[in-house]
Amino acid sequence: MFIDESICLLQIMGNWTSCCSYSSPLSRRKDANGAVNEFAQEGEESVGNLQHISEREHDDWNTDPSVHPKVATIFLERSKVENGLTRKQSQSQIVDFRSLKKSSSCSTIYLDDSTVSQPNLKNTVKCVALAIYYHIKNRTSERQIEIFDEKLHPLTRDRVPDNYDVHSPEHRHIYKFVRTLFNAAQLTAECAIITLVYLERLLTYAEVDITPANWKRIVLGAILLASKVWDDQAVWNVDYCQILKDITVEDMNELERQFLEMLQFNINVPSSVYAKYYFDLRSLAEDNELTFPAEPLSKERAKKLEAMSRVFEDKITAEFLKNGLKKWSSLDNISSTTVARKSVAILS
């Protein structure tokens, strides 16, 4: 879903504002030497009117993980840098106290309660926080934009330390910040995955890095936008001001507006991209021994799975009869153009 700026209206705090009714201010970016440079958004005309979405297709579509389903996610690639070193060190040590993983047997089947359509909220938020941690820790440059700088736009009235941009936050600090927002706003696990997609899209489109100086405001902007896109009853900007009591509505509105512009108003997340990020988060959890809790398969859940399998079996049977094939026909004699070859698991 692309937003057409020529006809769309944004509702910010109850006021309808046309996307093209103002001239976008120049954004400010800090380079590696700390110098501040002003620049216009890509595709922006000199008069301040935004370019039509059809005229500014992203040039690197084939290399953008937030758009292309086959491009590797940035966080998983960056996590491998440290995981490789950690894995080598752990191979030389004997760890007897490591928690044992539950394995299925003939009598018991272990399943976790997280699926691609209904992820586990707590574990998904933990994984997203871990992905952000690796983004910060293994960043390759220090590109920043003023709107995300916590020194220039503090989230609290507390004094920001002089070395706020030096030390990378720990995973538990990132998780605490994200968890607080999700619990207070009652956001879903799917929203956490969309947040990560928008975050990586921002890094690609705006050519900015997530650093100790800007990670909170980048994450806040991504959560704000993801909650409005995903949830039918989205949290208003003023509600976030109740969670972060020292931030103003005007600051939240400006953060949202500039975040949208840097995404080039591309808030579409294909289902294939969503699924890729979900499974890459599970891979990240497994690599870091952040396991999803597994429970024995109960009779009630087994009956639900069996019912779902029977529905799918009836669908396949109907396709067979529609194409003049018998139910017991060998799948080797069925062409891929006639019906999709899929295996059906039925618990009995």
Side-chain angles (χ1 to χ4, degrees), residues 3-10 17-22 24 48 50 260-261 265:
I3 297 182
D4 189 344
E5 306 90 51
S6 62
I7 61 174
C8 84
L9 299 174
L10 290 180
T17 306
S18 173
C19 297
C20 54
S21 63
Y22 57 83
S24 302
L50 292 174
L260 267 171
E261 285 189 352
F265 289 86

Side-chain angles (χ1 to χ4, degrees), residues 28-38 141-146 149 151-152 164-165 211 213:
R28 296 181 179 180
R29 172 179 292 154
K30 287 184 179 180
D31 56 21
N33 298 324
V36 178
N37 301 316
E38 292 186 343
S141 57
E142 297 285 342
R143 300 170 299 179
Q144 297 191 45
I145 297 178
E146 180 183 290
D149 195 316
K151 185 77 170 181
L152 302 175
Y164 75 107
D165 57 345
T211 69

Side-chain angles (χ1 to χ4, degrees), residues 226-293:
S227 64
K228 291 188 175 184
V229 172
W230 182 261
D231 294 334
D232 294 331
Q233 296 180 344
V235 181
W236 285 42
N237 293 4
V238 68
D239 297 325
Y240 286 98
C241 296
Q242 300 297 324
I243 303 172
L244 304 169
K245 298 185 180 299
D246 296 330
I247 195 171
T248 63
V249 177
E250 293 75 17
D251 187 17
M252 291 291 296
N253 294 345
E254 183 65 16
L255 177 64
E256 178 186 6
R257 185 182 67 80
Q258 290 203 31
F259 204 107
L260 267 171
E261 285 189 352
M262 293 175 194
L263 292 187
Q264 301 178 14
F265 289 86
N266 179 8
I267 56 175
N268 178 49
V269 179
S271 57
S272 55
V273 171
Y274 172 89
K276 177 187 67 175
Y277 273 80
Y278 168 79
F279 287 110
D280 279 1
L281 284 172
R282 293 201 63 133
S283 299
L284 181 69
E286 184 178 353
D287 293 341
N288 290 269
E289 298 183 1
L290 185 63
T291 57
F292 284 60

Side-chain angles (χ1 to χ4, degrees), residues 59-110:
D59 295 332
D60 300 329
W61 182 82
N62 291 329
T63 59
D64 183 4
S66 69
V67 176
H68 199 288
K70 294 185 179 180
V71 178
T73 53
I74 303 175
F75 74 86
L76 194 60
E77 291 296 320
R78 291 187 177 178
S79 69
K80 293 177 181 178
V81 176
E82 189 175 60
N83 280 342
L85 298 176
T86 304
R87 194 173 296 116
K88 284 184 178 180
Q89 294 174 358
S90 62
Q91 287 176 351
S92 60
Q93 301 175 359
I94 300 178
V95 183
D96 296 329
F97 55 86
R98 179 182 297 179
S99 59
L100 298 178
K101 293 183 179 180
K102 297 179 181 179
S103 300
S104 300
S105 63
C106 296
S107 59
T108 306
I109 298 177
Y110 286 98

